Amino acid sequence: MYHVLAAIGSRIYLPSGYFGTVKYFGPIDGTTGLWLGIEWDDSTRGKHDGIKDGKRYFNCRVPHSGSFIRPSSACYGYPFLQALKNKYVEAVHGTAFQEKIVLGSSNGAIEVEAVDLDKIRGKFSNLERLREVSLDNEMVSTGNNPGEILSTCPNVRGLDLSATLVSSWDVVAMITTELHQLERLALNRNRLTPPSSHLPASAWLRLSELQLNGTWISWEEFTSIAILMPQLRMVELGYNGLTSLSHAKISAVLGHIEILNFDSNKLKDWQHISEAMKPCTSLQRLILSSNGIERIPPRESHPSHLQGLKVLSLSSNKLHNSRDIDQLYEWCPNLETLSLAKNPLSEVSDVSRSARQQVIAKIPSLRVLDATAISTKERSDSELFYLSFVAKTVLGHDEDKLKEHPQWKTLCMKHGRPAESTADRDGRLGRYLIEVKVHQCSEPPEGLFTPGMQGGLIVSTSLRVLSTMKLGLFRLRLVKALGAGKKPRNRHDIYVWLRMGDDTLALLQDDDQELGWWGIENNSHIVVYISRQTES
């Protein structure tokens, strides 16, 4: 194992699987010898905050993530080329022309003879041919002497250095400066100290994609580094505990970024996010899943720096008011793809029963919602449903309806004003909403529909849906309507049959077809069996 002096800020690894950063190196009162004070990436490995017997030796960013270990118990990693050869170069065996090998999938039961394996090993050990290199978890800790990396693997386009012992941006630059063709770099789950002021300008000249998930890097630190990446187009900054995007180092580079991923941070303030995106004039895709966003405020007189946005993920947040969707369209008028799954807005509630139709109607530019394409017919039906919904629920003049539903006037001009009488409204709804009878069984049925259902009837209920809904979405809707407990692993664990005229049951399988295509209409009987293979 390559060994270095335990400098403050260096990274270490324990054979038990824990990564940490050296925060202290020296003696501890009341003990003999030298100790390392470590802040662990996994805080459950820690015991304190750097305080021993009332004396502080170091500070921890995350509470209770520190402890002391002996220097001899830590692993300090390898130089880049040693880790590269450890993974990609298999030693020549120098054996006979034929070798016996055991097939790994046979658990030792199958042994075969292979011819001239050394020739194959030699071919794969030609590091000059490498284009994609993954050294994830390979304990890289430093670079090599100048020129060695360039002469060994000059054609690398993609490099993954995630979960290594690289401790600073200076070390990253030491490696990447010699990879002149590098376009993609992953540094996930590392802890990188800020760079010195003398980083070479050639370190990331061609870099277009950068992953920094789980590195605890701040927006300010990232924008300082990005200045040296003139071709940067895609950045991932998930799982970094980001609460704000302030103090950015503004540069022309930010204006070239097209994709930003902030998954699983704590960016709750929508207006702040919009303001922070002002330098990102080319931004088209923004991922804000799992950030705790509770509302989209009215734009009012605030400028929107998200007008060019085409793809947005807001899944697993806390949006609960359908008015947020109207306000979202004010901020993002060119939005084409939207993810809203796992928000209260789309969960089981009175609002959620028509959430998809309402979102489609409220955002005219939308083409894909929650990974499902919006067909022309679904859009038309959703807009008609929405017009009838507004006419039925909002009394008063058009001004009153327009105040609560900004798309009211536009959709009336497109489809015509819905009739105001209850009879007319119900008639219009009846043209595109159907009511089906749903029967859930504890076991797969045996082919015929009977009153008691030999498969073991659990519950029967009625469900109103659009006839244009695709079968894949209908499966998920059934799970919600039936309150089926744990979520199935996937849609294909939800088996759906249609009762035919002779009481036989037809299994429905093509998720891309609409319910109407299958012949499902008013008062159709649907039988459902949900597999017990569920995920926790």
Side-chain angles (χ1 to χ4, degrees), residues 49 260 264 324 498:
D49 294 333
L260 273 173
S264 300
D324 292 325
L498 171 64

Side-chain angles (χ1 to χ4, degrees), residues 476-491:
L476 300 181
R477 181 71 186 276
L478 288 170
V479 174
K480 291 183 179 180
L482 294 169
K486 292 182 178 179
K487 182 180 177 182
R489 292 181 185 274
N490 55 59
R491 293 176 181 176

Side-chain angles (χ1 to χ4, degrees), residues 252-297:
V253 172
L254 296 182
H256 300 314
I257 294 177
E258 299 173 358
I259 302 172
L260 273 173
N261 187 336
F262 293 111
D263 184 20
S264 300
N265 282 289
K266 300 176 182 178
L267 300 171
K268 301 180 180 181
D269 188 331
W270 176 265
Q271 186 174 327
H272 168 73
I273 294 169
S274 174
E275 291 171 354
M277 294 299 102
K278 181 177 181 180
C280 304
T281 53
S282 299
L283 189 64
Q284 295 188 26
R285 182 188 297 263
L286 181 61
I287 311 300
L288 291 168
S289 307
S290 302
N291 271 271
I293 298 172
E294 296 184 2
R295 64 185 293 264
I296 308 292

Side-chain angles (χ1 to χ4, degrees), residues 93 271 302 336 432:
H93 289 194
Q271 186 174 327
H302 301 293
E336 296 179 359
Y432 53 93

Side-chain angles (χ1 to χ4, degrees), residues 467-469 498 508-510 512-520:
S467 62
T468 55
M469 177 179 287
L498 171 64
L508 310 185
Q509 294 180 307
D510 189 346
D512 291 329
Q513 295 293 352
E514 298 176 353
L515 300 186
W517 185 89
W518 286 106
I520 298 175

Side-chain angles (χ1 to χ4, degrees), residues 1-5 7-15 17-22 38-41 73-80 83 135-143 160-172 175 186-193:
M1 177 68 69
Y2 180 76
H3 185 79
V4 294
L5 292 177
I8 304 301
S10 61
R11 299 277 289 163
I12 62 98
Y13 171 78
L14 295 185
Y18 291 98
F19 290 83
T21 302
V22 177
I38 306 297
E39 181 177 15
W40 299 102
D41 294 3
S73 62
C75 304
Y76 299 90
Y78 304 100
F80 176 83
L135 295 177
D136 186 347
N137 270 296
E138 293 295 327
M139 305 303 118
V140 177
S141 61
T142 186
D160 188 347
L161 289 175
S162 300
T164 62
L165 300 182
V166 172
S167 62
S168 71
W169 282 101
D170 296 274
V171 175
V172 176
I175 296 169
L187 296 168
N188 304 316
R189 306 186 305 283
N190 288 304
R191 300 290 185 268
L192 302 172
T193 57

Side-chain angles (χ1 to χ4, degrees), residues 3-199:
H3 185 79
V4 294
L5 292 177
I8 304 301
S10 61
R11 299 277 289 163
I12 62 98
Y13 171 78
L14 295 185
S16 54
Y18 291 98
F19 290 83
T21 302
V22 177
K23 307 292 283 188
Y24 173 80
F25 179 45
I28 297 176
D29 292 350
T31 68
T32 59
L34 299 176
W35 294 83
L36 295 179
I38 306 297
E39 181 177 15
W40 299 102
D41 294 3
D42 182 351
S43 61
T44 62
R45 174 64 176 80
K47 298 180 179 179
H48 50 69
D49 294 333
I51 297 176
K52 174 71 172 175
D53 296 331
K55 180 178 178 179
R56 178 168 293 282
Y57 291 87
F58 61 95
N59 293 292
C60 290
R61 181 173 181 173
V62 178
H64 306 292
S65 60
S67 70
F68 292 101
I69 64 172
R70 291 292 189 182
S72 59
S73 62
C75 304
Y76 299 90
Y78 304 100
F80 176 83
L81 287 181
Q82 184 176 344
L84 183 73
K85 293 172 182 176
N86 287 348
K87 179 167 184 179
Y88 288 95
V89 178
E90 185 178 356
V92 174
H93 289 194
T95 58
F97 182 69
Q98 291 184 336
E99 297 179 44
K100 290 184 178 180
I101 60 174
V102 176
L103 296 185
S105 60
S106 69
N107 294 319
I110 301 176
E111 188 178 80
V112 298
E113 288 188 349
V115 177
D116 206 2
L117 282 182
D118 276 349
K119 184 177 180 179
I120 299 173
R121 292 186 184 103
K123 183 177 180 179
F124 279 97
S125 65
N126 185 357
L127 300 179
E128 290 184 1
R129 302 176 60 181
L130 285 177
R131 298 293 188 273
E132 300 292 329
V133 171
S134 176
L135 295 177
D136 186 347
N137 270 296
E138 293 295 327
M139 305 303 118
V140 177
S141 61
T142 186
N144 293 84
N145 295 325
E148 290 183 349
I149 296 176
L150 176 60
S151 63
T152 303
C153 51
N155 294 308
V156 174
R157 266 71 168 177
L159 175 62
D160 188 347
L161 289 175
S162 300
T164 62
L165 300 182
V166 172
S167 62
S168 71
W169 282 101
D170 296 274
V171 175
V172 176
M174 184 190 307
I175 296 169
T176 58
T177 297
E178 301 198 18
L179 300 175
H180 297 170
Q181 308 300 318
L182 190 66
E183 299 174 359
R184 297 171 296 281
L185 178 61
L187 296 168
N188 304 316
R189 306 186 305 283
N190 288 304
R191 300 290 185 268
L192 302 172
T193 57
S196 65
S197 58
H198 305 292
L199 283 179

